[in-house]
Structures are given as C-alpha cells and as structure tokens.
Amino acid sequence: MPARTAARILDGEARGALQRARSYLPEQLIDAVEKSGLRGRGGAGYPLADKLRAVRRNADGRQPYVVANGYDADPGSPLARTLLARNAATALRGIAIAAHAVDAKEAFVYLHPGATEARAAVERAIADHQDELGIAIEVALGPGGFMGGEESALLAVLESRRAMARQRPPYPASQGLNLRPTLVSSIETLAWLPLVVEEQVRASTKLVSVTGAVSHPGVYEVALGTSLGDIVSEAGGTTAKLKGLHVGGPTGGILNATRSDTRFDFDDLRVAGTHMGSAQVRAIPVGTCIVNEAAKLFAYLARESCAICVPCRVGTKRVQGILEGMYSGLGRDSDLPWLDELGDHMERFSLCGFGITAPSILRTTMREFPDDYRIHIQDMRCPEGSCTPVRSRRYETMAQP
Amino acid sequence: MSLLERYTQPSESQIPTVAHVGEIPSGQPTCTIWIDGKEVTAVVGESILRAAQRAGFEVPTLCDDEKLAPAAACRMCLVEIEGYHRPMPSCHLPVQPGMVITQASDSLFKLRRQNLEYILSDHNAYCMPPCQVGCPTHIDIPGYLELMAKGQHVEAARLVKEVLPFPYMLGLVCPKPCQEVCRRGLVEEEIAICQCHGYTGEMVMEMDQAPTPFPQLPATGKRVAVVGAGPAGLTCAYYAALKGHAVTVFDMMEKQGGICRYGIPEYRLPKVKLDKELNSVWQLRDTEFKGGMTLGRDFSIDDLFTQGYDAVFLGIGCWRSNDLPIPGIDLPGVIEAINYLRMNAEGNPVPVGKGQKVVVVGGGFTTFDCARTSRRLGAEVTVVYRRSRREMGAHYSEVDDAEHEGIRLEFFASPVKIVEKNGRVGGIEFQRMALGEPDASGRRRPVPVEGSNFTIECDTVIPAIGQLPDLDFFEKEPSVRKTKRETIVTNGALMTDRPGVFAGGDVQMGARTVIECVAQGKLAAKAIDRYLAGDDMARVAEEIAQEEAVPELIDIVPYKPEEPQVRMPMLPFPDRVQSFQVIENGYDKAAAEKEAAQPLPPSGTCRLPRLRVRLQPRLHPSGPQQVHQLHPVRPNLPGRHRCELLRAHGRRIRRDRDDAMERLAQVHRLRLVRGVRGDVPDGRADDARARSADVRAGRDSVHLLRRLRRGLPARCTRRDLELRALDVRPLRPHRSRERGARRRAVVEAIGRDPARRTQLSAPAGDPTTGSAPLGRMTV
C-alpha cells in the first residue's frame, strides 16, 4: 500500500475535528479512538484508548493533566520537530481532543530546548487558535539529553526535579504530574486524534527518520508495515552497499541488510529483536565495524543514562568497556557469554525502558553479525579494517565471571 | 493509595510504623499475601518489603529507608510477583490482597549478586570510615569531629562516651590506631583524632556532672561485681551501671585506675585529671568502689556469688613482668619493670637516681615508660632491643621522643648475662643479633652473631620484655580455665567456662593497649547485660562477632590537601629533664575545632558489608581496586587478630597512596623512584625517621605533580632540581611529539586509506609476527 493514499498527519488539516469531538461524550470519543487502532507513537506502541481510559478511571474527581511529549530524545530522529513545524495546529487540536477525553483543563507541550523552530510554531499556533482550543496549553522545555524524553523523567522535569526515571507502577495514568493522573503521550500520537475523529480513519502511518548512507536523509511518513528496504528506497536509496539497518534509535538493535524485508511495525520489529523506539532507520554501509558501532552506541548510552538504577548506570558503562576492549584487540572468548549475562541482567533489573531496551543492541548484533565479533576476538583484527584501538588494557573490574 | 502518595500525606494520616519489629496496630485493615509459599498478614497499603521484613524474610535492600519516599534505585529488593513479567522492586509496590510473591529464588539470587557486583565495582569509598573501623571501640569519629567543629563539645563528648567513657585518658595514652588508617593520610597528613577527643574529655571534666551518652536506665535489681579498676573493668562498670545494674568494683590497689594509674608515668597521664575523669563512673547511681581487696586473698569468685552478685567481670590486668632468663638476674640492682613504675607512681622512693646508669631491656610501651621515667629521675639511660627500631612494639612517636630526651637506643643486642660487681649489678653483657627468617608474627626473628659480645656498664637493669596476668588465685577456681600464656579462656561473648563469670582486658588478651581493653570492657558490659536478661550467650557471641567484623577498604581518588595537622603543643625537650610535667599540653578550643573540621566527608551506616556476606559476589582482585574484604574477627582472640588486620590495613592504605602517586606520575610521564622508601618495609612500627621522610617525599611529589598539571613551565632548572632531589625523572618527554611525527610519516607514505594502512602494518596471513594489526596500544 503506497503511503501517500492514506491519511497523513504531516499535512492533515481536520479543522472541524475539535468541534466534532466536543459533541461526543468522552466514552464515545475513546471508543472511536479504539476503533482507529491508534497506538502510542513514542516507541512502546501502547494503545492510546487504554491509556485514556486509565486516566479517566483514576481521575476520581481530580483534575488530570495532558502532557504531549515532543521532546525528540534521539538527536537523529527529529519527528516531533518536523511535525510541529509543519502542522502545529493539528497537533494542538489533538491535545485539546485528548484533554476533552480525560476532562483535563491543563496541558503541556514538552519540547527539546534546541527545537526553536518547533517552539515558535507551537507558540504561534497557540496564539492563533486560543479560542478554538479552549484549554490552557503551556510550552515546557526539557533539559536536553536523551533521558529528558523518558515518560517519568519528563514528569520529574515538569515538577522541577532532575530528569531521572521513576519506578512504574504507579503509571502516570494514575500518578503523574503532581501525583495527579496524567496522560503522557507523544505529540505524534495526539496529532492523530483530529484525523481519527473527523475522518474516521485508521491510524496507519508513522513518521520515520531515515539517516545514514541514504541519498536523501530526512523525516518521512510511511505506512506501518512498510518493509525496511522500502523505507530506505523512499529516502532515495542507499549511497553504498548496505551492511545493516539500525532501527529504533540509540537503544534499538542493528539488523542485517539481508533482513530489509522486515516490516516496520511495532510487533514485527519486536519479533526481529529491536523496537520502534525513536523510529529512526539508519543505513549502515559496508565498511563499518558492527562491534565498533555497538560500542559507540553504548558509549552514548553510558553518557546519557540518568543513573538512578544500578543495572543501567553501571551496566552501560561496563558493556561499553568490554566492547571497546574487544575492538582494541583485547577481546576474549569469554567476553560473549559475559555480555549475554550483562544484557540479561540489564533487561531484567533495570528501572525504565532505557535499560530494558538497551541490550537489544547486544542481542541483535551478536546474532546478526557474529563474524564481526569472532574476527575481532579470535583473529584480533577488525573485519573492516576501520577500528582504531582506544584501550591499552582490558576493562577489568573486580567483579566478573 | 500508593506508597508515593502516602509519603506525601500529612503525618497524622500516615499509617503508624509497624515496619521493623512492632506488631500491626489494632484497627489497621489487613490482608493476606503469600511470600515464598508462606501466608503473611500485611497492612493494606504498606510495601511488600515491609510486610516481608515483618514476617521475618530478609529481602536485601540498600536504598530503603523509613523516612524517605521509595526510590527503587538500588534494585536489590526486586522480587518476583505472579502476574508481572519482570521482577519488581518490593520497596515500591504496595501489597494487594492475594499477591503471590517469590522473594528468594536461584534466578533472583544470581541477578541480585550481579547487581551487587555492579555496585561494588563502582564503589570507591566506604560509608564507615577506616578510622572508625580501625578503632577497637569503633567511636563515631566523623560524628564527634563534626560536632566539635561546630563547637558542640559536650555533645561530642556524649557521642564519644557511647563507646569510650574516658576520652581524656585515651587522648593521651592511646597508640592511635585510628590515625594509622586515616584517609586524610592518603593525601597529606592524618587528622589528630585522638587529641581531639582528648580535648572534649578535658573540657567536660570541669562540669559538675559528667555527661553520659544516654540517661541511666531504671534499676534492674541485678548486681554486678567487677574485679579490677583498670580501663577494662571501669569501662565495664560504666556501661553496666548505665544499663541499670548495681555495680561494685573491687581492686587490689587503694586507688582506682589500675595500670593506667600505677603503670603509666605522670608525664604521660596526670593522675589528678585521671581521677577526675574516672570519677564519672561513681557519679552514676548504684556504683561503688572497694579498694585494697585482692581476688584470691581477700575474696573468691564463690564469695561474690554468695554475696548476691549475679555476674562477675574479671579485669585484673597483667601485673607480672616476664622473667629475663639470664644468669645474674637475682642480683641487687635488677628491678622489675611494673613494680618500678608502680612505686614511682605511688611516690615511694625508687632505686634510680641522678647520675646512675640504667639499662632497660625491651622495646614495648613499658620499656619506654621505664626508660623515660628513669631519665626524668636523672639517670643515664640506654634502651637495648634485640631487633631493629621498626619491630619495636612501642609507638614510633614514643621512640622518637625518647631519643630526643637523651635516651640512648641500642638495637640488635640480646642480653647474655648480668655482670656482677661488688655483689650487685655492674654491667650487662650483650650479644649482637642479626635478622633471620620471619617468624609466625611476621617479624623477622633475630639470630645471634657469634663472638660479638659486648658489655654495657650500669648500676641498674630493668628488664621490660612484656607482662603476664597474675593468676595465682586460679588454683582455687577450677571452673575457669587459663591458656598457656596465662590468660583466661572465654568465648566470643567474653564469658568464661563458668556461667556468669566474664573476663576481659589484658587478663584475657595478654598485655595490650588501653583502647583494646576499653573495647573489651564495653563488649563485656553488653554481654553481661544480655546474660542478666537471660539471653542465649551463643547468639550474643555471634552478634558480637558480626558487629566486630572488620571490612577492609580501598583507595580513594587524590584529594586536594588543605591544612596540615594542627600540632599538639608539646613540652620543650629541655624542660623534660628531671620533670614529670605532662608533655602534651592539650589543644585550646580554637585548635581543636580547627583540627576537627578537617576530615573527608563520609559518615553513616552501610548495609553493603552484610549483603556482601550474604550474596558472595564474585570479586577478584585487580590491582589497587580490590576492596571490601570482610574478615570476621576470631572472637577468642579479638585483640591480636585485629591488630594484625590493622597492620595489614595500614599497609594497604600506604600502598594505595603509592599507587595513586604512580598513576599520577604515569599521567604526567614521570618516573617515580621511591629511593627514600627503599628497604623500609611496611608495618606498624616503621622506622620513625624513614617514615616521616617517606611521608614528606610522598607529599612533595604529589605537590609537584599537581604543579605540573596546573601547567607550570614544563622544563625549568628549578623543576629539574626538584625532580632530581626526589629522584623523579621525566619519562621520555618528547614521546608524544615523536609519535605524532611517526604517524605523519606513515600517513604520507601510504596515504589516508585506512584499509591500506591496516594491510601495510600487518602482512596478511601471518598473524604470528609482531603485534596484531590492531596492536595493543602501548602507552
């Protein structure tokens, strides 16, 4: 199915949607959302209707909040920025519809401090549509960095605390901002609401950021279920022979180029070992060492971890160290089971999605590119000849198997 | 209501704390949950962790605290709950009726262990400071220093008196094991911990009523007899009295203080002030001192029980000097060390005076007490020891001081016989010794050198080679056993084989330091209290062993030094000749507060050590990072074992400081040659001069490295001179430039194509030659 025929949020207008939504009872509205199959675009793919119901159920007479997450944590995936710059009014209408569905009177648009253009667009749109929106929408800026976009860290920021994750349950839907029920949803998800209400469409497209070795990197809107190969072709095709596809942003896994027929969908990506995440598809050309790539990703994660929980704070650092040792020619056979063990621990014991999803990098690369690891460990050379050693000693600590 | 929410509720609407020991208050709604298959009644809304703790499950946790909102950060308390697909933190989830929870399983154990390994690998300091671990009584040193720095001296004294009732006395006579391991010593100079509590002790001494750590408990009606009014006995009496027991202290001497009064000379410990401090025991209700009563002569242990005492503590100390088994030891002019000190302390005439020549044999504290006393009486004194200075048992400062006071030291000489002259001592013949193989204590055993005999002429010989307890009364006490070393045998709770009879201090350990005796007195008081309450003594012994477990510590990152130790004003050396005036003049308020304000920050309690014991993380040493080893103290030999540990501990810290310096040197491409250390081995009694030179050199080189890092001129004559003086040489200073040039040359030769570069630098198909293509980086 070509993407263009479907409803698109990048240029959908739906001017009368708010009017129409207000004519529904909230329950009816939520049913309509359920019918559209709208799932959270933030990466986890949680059905929005369930979230709306949970917020309503937990409200118990209290005033809930709506927080639209337009933070774009992954610097390589400026989806919300693109959306807001192009179509801020629809996004704001979506927020207003969600507020109506949960009886909220206050909403926040949460943005990255670097997203100046998007911020200007939102502020302009708020000023232009003040009367139509009918709720108080405030623009809030995050602290910058990857963790600032995490659902619970975001609430901490709005409460003027450091951007650190919080254990869930309780979910924001029961205890969010100021311990009140809060609908936290990505702005892309909420931007679907006007279309869903007005045109009764199924929410079938997703913004995706295509980067790496492609002719025209950028943000595209594609139908869910499009194969990864088609997404790359959408962006003008690759500029070099493809080695792998990194899907899902910094915590997402790297799939082998042979798997470019994988469907770009919440469930299919999970089956493939990665996840939707920030919806970035990065084309990795031949000549890139995957061990090095994984190490770079973990170096980024180790820097960005909010450090509240032990598995993520220490685990990312340690995995980074092991991978760096590996591509510095200091790897050992025992490193692979060790990485397995560390990944397992991170996944089971971490506090938030950051640590839970990060091991997917290890899982996918070790499964799909075993040669890169093997050559580095056994032959002590880089399969692509591109690695420069960065360590002179193995990453040894007191505790290791 | 969730836990987070409850935490933010006003206090009156919060659930009463039933967490740790208490019972569920009546009227609380409860529900039933299952933990590990056991049915548990829980208060609705409390956390799973609390319910589990109350039900007796030990769920490990580090970050949980009653007073704080649950954080779920340490991830140790994760449990498996039916219906959740991953382990959930039990501190963060409120119980719900019918929950089925697994808190202990193999997979959880593994995951928790991994987690603990993470924590430990990332953990470069310890919440319990080494000084506190190092002190046998475990005073809260950071705590009282902080109070002192704030000027709250009475509070500080209270805190000290929680474990050490006599801070003034210990401030003067303690060999300062705490300062040996002070972390500040890593970066510059240790804090004068001892002098600081000495100051608080001296200050509160002037109060009419000495402060107590906590109010004396109501009378229990039990009576405790303490035999021996020395440091161990009086400490035991003090804490037993605070627990509400009636205490009677018996002593063979007329006055209180034991060896501290009769063994330690006036110049080290003024007796008027000692009395003032010890009187704090008699200020407590139901305490009584009976002097001049000797166990075995005036009364027996049976008598005490007949008189209605419920427990007896034996702290009778070591009052018999070891015999020196050489010919001529019976000649007039040979004095028994302890007797000599005692007579001098009592003000009786002693057979040492002006112009006499005295030889003291030995190397311990008593040796130097005798020598310095004799010196003050006007004699010419020689101390002869069979090993070297660094093996001496006395604190190095004491050895140093003695030398400065004009006492001659003679090492590597062992007495052979006492030479007779006119029917009394005329001299003493020695044989030279050399160091042989190390013995069981780790000290190198001296072996005699044939034909090296020499004689020192003298009028008086004082053998001071250690003391023994005087256990003559034992013949009448078959129920209490003694060891070969003439000490009393006790279990871990300091109880002898006879129920209700406890022993501690020198008589249990052999002659040791005052602080170790105080520590034992404290433990004995605790054990006696538990005994009188009818507790199982095996369990008490176990608890004591667990509490006294000594964790071993780690290095810290280099820390910016600020202030040197505030110097204790000392009596000038010329004034010490023939004067028993106290040599340490004491801090004034400003000095004490200044010194107390200096420690490195941490304080608090740490659950890590216990978790380490439980979860057994797989830690293996890798250089200086290896840390946190728990050594349970062997309960029957606490003192000695701990001393060995301490020594090892001091070594560790010194070694780690050296490692830190080495790392710094590496960063700055300097070669650090520790010529000054050379052959000085580590150990408690380092050669004093070598030690101070070592410290100075260490500090100077760290300072220098710091200067270099601040970007001071890279090459200047002055720096070169300094480096040479320290034997620190620049390590191939132009290397980075060379390497840059080399890299440029390579790039020019083969172009910038990385693939080609790899090819060129590693011939394909021959992995054995030279370094691998990605060659291990050499720095």
Side-chain angles (χ1 to χ4, degrees):
Chain A
M1 178 178 61
R4 292 186 196 287
T5 59
R8 287 161 48 90
I9 52 163
L10 274 183
D11 40 32
E13 280 278 317
R15 283 178 191 279
L18 197 46
Q19 199 81 33
R20 188 153 180 183
R22 294 227 167 97
S23 68
Y24 291 151
L25 285 174
E27 285 78 13
Q28 286 174 321
L29 188 57
I30 294 174
D31 287 343
V33 173
E34 188 164 25
K35 242 179 259 165
S36 75
L38 180 55
R39 294 174 73 176
R41 264 38 178 172
Y46 191 76
L48 183 67
D50 292 359
K51 229 186 220 180
L52 291 170
R53 284 212 184 90
V55 175
R56 280 192 72 79
R57 191 176 54 243
N58 292 313
D60 199 21
R62 290 174 296 173
Q63 190 71 248
Y65 294 105
V66 173
V67 178
N69 184 357
Y71 185 76
D72 286 339
D74 175 7
S77 178
L79 306 185
R81 281 172 230 203
T82 313
L83 173 67
L84 288 174
R86 296 241 317 242
N87 204 355
T90 310
L92 292 182
R93 279 186 202 112
I95 295 171
I97 294 171
H100 174 63
V102 298
D103 293 333
K105 293 281 176 284
E106 281 173 82
F108 296 87
V109 178
Y110 180 75
L111 297 177
H112 195 279
T116 43
E117 206 183 324
R119 184 182 172 192
V122 170
E123 278 167 355
R124 209 166 40 237
I126 292 176
D128 290 352
H129 299 85
Q130 188 60 263
D131 302 337
E132 182 196 345
L133 294 172
I135 55 163
I137 299 183
E138 195 182 314
V139 176
L141 294 188
F146 189 71
M147 264 315 276
E150 205 273 338
E151 174 184 65
S152 59
L154 166 165
L155 293 175
V157 172
L158 292 180
E159 288 169 1
S160 305
R161 289 184 285 118
R162 272 163 67 189
M164 287 178 109
R166 203 191 68 196
Q167 175 72 38
R168 279 142 293 163
Y171 292 97
S174 59
Q175 271 170 32
L177 189 54
N178 303 331
L179 293 180
R180 279 202 247 160
T182 305
L183 175 75
V184 184
S185 195
S186 79
I187 198 128
E188 193 188 337
T189 322
L190 297 178
W192 268 103
L193 287 175
L195 304 182
V196 165
V197 170
E198 182 148 305
E199 302 172 20
Q200 312 285 333
V201 293
R202 280 194 72 77
S204 59
T205 69
K206 170 86 186 78
L207 294 183
V208 53
S209 168
V210 190
T211 57
V214 291
S215 303
H216 307 295
V219 175
Y220 295 85
E221 183 165 1
V222 300
L224 281 172
T226 315
S227 75
L228 294 176
D230 289 349
I231 291 177
V232 172
S233 323
E234 184 95 348
T238 53
T239 54
K241 196 169 180 304
L242 204 58
K243 179 169 187 178
L245 285 165
H246 181 204
V247 187
T251 58
I254 303 177
L255 301 177
N256 201 315
T258 55
R259 291 163 67 99
S260 45
D261 56 346
T262 309
R263 281 155 43 89
F264 187 71
D265 189 307
F266 293 103
D267 302 323
D268 288 34
L269 287 179
R270 192 161 295 158
V271 170
T274 175
H275 53 94
M276 182 65 85
S278 68
Q280 187 189 174
V281 175
R282 186 162 60 103
I284 299 174
V286 166
T288 315
C289 174
I290 295 297
V291 179
N292 198 329
E293 277 301 301
K296 273 197 273 185
L297 286 173
F298 268 97
Y300 176 78
L301 295 178
R303 205 171 58 235
E304 295 292 330
S305 164
C306 80
I308 190 171
C309 73
V310 176
C312 179
R313 180 181 71 224
V314 193
T316 48
K317 241 189 274 175
R318 171 136 343 151
V319 173
Q320 176 200 352
I322 299 167
L323 291 172
E324 281 177 356
M326 215 181 264
Y327 78 69
S328 301
L330 304 166
R332 286 183 195 154
D333 288 339
S334 60
D335 283 351
L336 291 180
W338 185 21
L339 283 176
D340 260 338
E341 193 182 323
L342 297 184
D344 208 48
H345 178 257
M346 250 160 103
E347 197 175 332
R348 301 272 291 158
F349 256 42
S350 288
L351 189 148
C352 77
F354 186 110
I356 296 170
T357 52
S360 69
I361 302 168
L362 292 176
R363 294 279 149 71
T364 50
T365 53
M366 281 159 72
R367 187 189 63 208
E368 312 242 327
F369 304 93
D371 282 354
D372 286 36
Y373 283 92
R374 189 185 52 75
I375 294 173
H376 261 307
I377 292 174
Q378 289 176 4
D379 304 353
M380 306 239 269
R381 67 185 178 85
C382 176
E384 306 285 355
S386 61
C387 289
T388 316
V390 291
R391 286 188 168 270
S392 55
R393 282 175 49 212
R394 271 176 65 77
Y395 184 84
E396 299 260 349
T397 62
M398 306 178 309
Q400 62 191 57
Chain B
M1 191 190 293
S2 83
L3 290 165
L4 264 185
E5 210 168 353
R6 219 176 61 221
Y7 174 71
T8 56
Q9 298 295 309
S11 54
E12 60 273 14
S13 58
Q14 292 200 357
I15 297 178
T17 301
V18 290
H20 297 306
V21 278
E23 296 180 352
I24 298 172
S26 60
Q28 279 291 339
T30 58
C31 62
T32 306
I33 57 174
W34 279 267
I35 303 178
D36 285 354
K38 185 180 159 193
E39 198 175 309
V40 172
T41 307
V43 179
V44 174
E46 74 176 336
S47 67
I48 298 172
L49 182 66
R50 288 275 170 282
Q53 281 173 343
R54 211 179 43 251
F57 294 103
E58 284 190 25
V59 183
T61 176
L62 290 166
C63 68
D64 171 64
D65 192 304
E66 269 290 87
K67 301 186 206 78
L68 301 176
C74 76
R75 315 305 283 176
M76 294 301 297
C77 70
L78 268 64
V79 293
E80 276 156 3
I81 305 169
E82 248 183 46
Y84 288 82
H85 64 284
R86 4 190 355 250
M88 297 305 286
S90 60
C91 66
H92 200 272
L93 271 188
V95 292
Q96 274 157 15
M99 261 185 174
V100 180
I101 296 155
T102 311
Q103 65 89 27
S105 69
D106 278 358
S107 73
L108 276 178
F109 177 86
K110 276 185 194 146
L111 289 164
R112 282 176 185 157
R113 183 178 63 180
Q114 174 89 57
N115 209 53
L116 187 65
E117 285 165 8
Y118 272 167
I119 294 172
L120 291 174
S121 72
D122 196 9
H123 196 76
N124 74 343
Y126 216 62
C127 312
M128 186 143 158
C131 50
Q132 195 172 346
V133 177
C135 175
T137 58
H138 312 306
I139 317 176
D140 181 0
I141 292 168
Y144 81 73
L145 289 182
E146 197 183 328
L147 286 170
M148 282 184 72
K150 287 183 191 158
Q152 302 177 7
H153 294 278
V154 179
E155 274 311 303
R158 278 212 173 89
L159 192 59
V160 174
K161 279 173 181 245
E162 277 185 17
V163 290
L164 169 63
F166 313 120
Y168 171 73
M169 173 169 93
L170 270 301
L172 286 178
V173 304
C174 189
K176 311 174 181 64
C178 48
Q179 288 177 215
E180 291 266 310
V181 293
C182 176
R183 292 207 309 154
R184 235 191 141 78
L186 276 176
V187 290
E188 27 149 17
E189 196 170 16
E190 65 267 23
I191 290 170
I193 297 168
C194 249
Q195 281 93 331
C196 282
H197 70 59
Y199 174 77
T200 52
E202 194 171 1
M203 234 199 71
V204 299
M205 208 185 275
E206 303 306 323
M207 297 166 66
D208 294 338
Q209 182 77 29
T212 56
F214 34 82
Q216 193 172 7
L217 295 182
T220 56
K222 304 278 186 187
R223 295 176 70 205
V224 178
V226 172
V227 186
L234 288 183
T235 306
C236 179
Y238 186 79
Y239 291 114
L242 279 178
K243 290 280 184 190
H245 309 301
V247 181
T248 310
V249 181
F250 300 88
D251 199 279
M252 63 174 179
M253 311 302 276
E254 286 302 325
K255 289 181 180 167
Q256 59 183 351
I259 206 81
C260 290
R261 170 182 293 274
Y262 295 102
I264 296 178
E266 181 77 14
Y267 66 89
R268 270 177 77 197
L269 182 61
K271 300 301 170 311
V272 176
K273 290 197 167 179
L274 173 71
D275 267 337
K276 266 192 183 173
E277 179 152 67
L278 296 183
N279 283 343
S280 62
V281 179
W282 319 122
Q283 287 173 4
L284 300 176
R285 187 191 63 231
D286 296 336
T287 50
E288 191 187 356
F289 177 64
K290 289 188 176 169
M293 304 266 283
T294 309
L295 179 64
R297 193 188 70 197
D298 302 325
F299 62 98
S300 69
I301 296 176
D302 287 329
D303 294 344
L304 292 175
F305 282 113
T306 320
Q307 285 168 29
Y309 290 102
D310 301 288
V312 175
F313 175 75
L314 303 176
I316 54 177
C318 288
W319 284 76
R320 216 173 70 201
S321 298
N322 276 343
D323 294 331
L324 191 62
I326 55 170
I329 200 71
D330 304 327
L331 287 172
V334 179
I335 315 174
E336 199 199 350
I338 289 290
N339 231 348
Y340 168 59
L341 292 173
R342 173 174 153 185
M343 281 175 4
N344 185 52
E346 283 173 328
N348 294 333
V350 284
V352 172
K354 203 160 186 174
Q356 278 191 351
K357 288 181 181 161
V358 176
V359 171
V360 188
V361 182
F365 284 101
T366 313
T367 314
F368 283 92
D369 285 343
C370 291
R372 293 172 79 185
T373 298
S374 308
R375 182 71 189 145
R376 280 166 172 72
L377 293 171
E380 269 178 49
V381 186
T382 312
V383 168
V384 188
Y385 184 50
R386 62 192 181 130
R387 307 187 215 220
S388 76
R389 184 195 290 261
R390 72 178 77 111
E391 274 96 14
M392 278 188 159
H395 197 247
Y396 67 88
S397 64
E398 188 127 342
V399 184
D400 252 12
D401 270 10
E403 203 171 18
H404 286 304
E405 285 169 13
I407 290 166
R408 208 157 69 83
L409 301 178
E410 188 76 55
F411 298 107
F412 295 116
S414 177
V416 180
K417 67 173 185 190
I418 294 172
V419 182
E420 186 191 334
K421 191 174 164 189
N422 305 332
R424 53 169 291 132
V425 170
I428 176 163
E429 188 180 322
F430 290 96
Q431 187 175 30
R432 277 278 166 226
M433 309 295 277
L435 286 183
E437 292 303 306
D439 63 6
S441 72
R443 300 191 293 184
R444 290 171 69 188
R445 186 189 295 279
V447 288
V449 179
E450 287 304 320
S452 60
N453 290 19
F454 64 100
T455 306
I456 300 177
E457 281 187 19
C458 60
D459 319 306
T460 309
V461 173
I462 309 178
I465 52 166
Q467 294 106 262
L468 289 175
D470 198 350
L471 294 185
D472 289 345
F473 75 93
F474 247 69
E475 282 143 34
K476 297 172 209 157
E477 307 287 349
S479 56
V480 179
R481 272 187 304 144
K482 64 177 178 179
T483 65
K484 265 185 272 175
R485 300 180 306 133
E486 291 282 301
T487 54
I488 298 180
V489 178
T490 67
N491 66 7
L494 297 177
M495 190 159 84
T496 61
D497 290 354
R498 180 167 181 179
V501 179
F502 295 77
D506 280 354
V507 74
Q508 193 263 2
M509 300 180 285
R512 302 220 75 95
T513 58
V514 178
I515 190 73
E516 284 167 285
C517 293
V518 169
Q520 281 220 325
K522 179 196 74 171
L523 290 182
K526 182 176 175 173
I528 289 173
D529 183 52
R530 300 285 295 272
Y531 170 78
L532 294 178
D535 282 353
D536 173 20
M537 292 315 280
R539 196 180 157 80
V540 175
E542 205 174 286
E543 272 173 34
I544 287 178
Q546 206 177 31
E547 277 168 30
E548 296 289 298
V550 178
E552 199 161 334
L553 307 177
I554 33 176
D555 63 338
I556 55 162
V557 287
Y559 180 84
K560 180 173 158 284
E562 278 163 13
E563 296 272 332
Q565 198 181 73
V566 179
R567 292 277 162 235
M568 172 60 77
M570 300 289 272
L571 192 66
F573 284 109
D575 295 353
R576 299 191 195 180
V577 180
Q578 301 199 24
S579 154
F580 277 88
Q581 205 184 332
V582 183
I583 52 178
E584 291 192 9
N585 290 330
Y587 277 165
D588 60 5
K589 192 160 183 285
E593 285 172 13
K594 182 161 176 260
E595 182 65 17
Q598 295 199 14
L600 294 173
S603 80
T605 54
C606 185
R607 296 178 199 154
L608 266 180
R610 273 168 202 222
L611 281 188
R612 264 213 55 184
V613 175
R614 274 182 62 195
L615 295 179
Q616 297 294 324
R618 302 153 294 175
L619 302 183
H620 75 94
S622 71
Q625 291 139 310
Q626 63 161 311
V627 286
H628 286 77
Q629 288 169 11
L630 269 178
H631 300 275
V633 169
R634 276 159 45 209
N636 49 351
L637 278 177
R640 172 205 239 176
H641 196 67
R642 195 184 292 114
C643 253
E644 281 163 15
L645 277 174
L646 260 187
R647 234 171 277 144
H649 189 74
R651 269 202 295 277
R652 157 68 50 76
I653 281 201
R654 275 192 289 277
R655 202 191 66 206
D656 287 352
R657 181 188 56 205
D658 297 342
D659 284 339
M661 273 162 54
E662 238 154 46
R663 280 200 295 277
L664 261 176
Q666 250 176 17
V667 169
H668 296 280
R669 296 166 195 279
L670 293 170
R671 191 154 64 93
L672 208 60
V673 181
R674 257 179 261 104
V676 272
R677 286 186 68 80
D679 54 350
V680 180
D682 291 308
R684 193 175 65 165
D686 269 359
D687 183 301
R689 265 177 301 191
R691 189 187 142 96
S692 54
D694 176 28
V695 167
R696 212 179 315 120
R699 206 184 314 136
D700 287 355
S701 41
V702 168
H703 169 72
L704 190 61
L705 290 167
R706 201 169 287 119
R707 271 190 60 209
L708 291 177
R709 190 154 59 174
R710 279 208 303 265
L712 286 162
R715 266 174 298 152
C716 63
T717 346
R718 185 166 153 64
R719 192 201 114 199
D720 282 348
L721 280 176
E722 283 171 349
L723 290 177
R724 210 162 301 142
L726 285 165
D727 207 1
V728 177
R729 299 189 193 96
L731 176 78
R732 300 166 77 181
H734 303 307
R735 187 157 172 181
S736 62
R737 205 181 298 162
E738 275 168 24
R739 205 160 49 185
R742 203 162 53 219
R743 194 181 301 135
R744 269 197 301 280
V746 171
V747 170
E748 274 160 23
I750 63 174
R752 290 189 179 274
D753 179 9
R756 256 193 83 198
R757 195 153 71 217
T758 316
Q759 263 174 14
L760 276 188
S761 55
D766 191 5
T768 51
T769 51
S771 60
L774 293 173
R776 283 153 211 269
M777 238 167 71
T778 45
V779 174

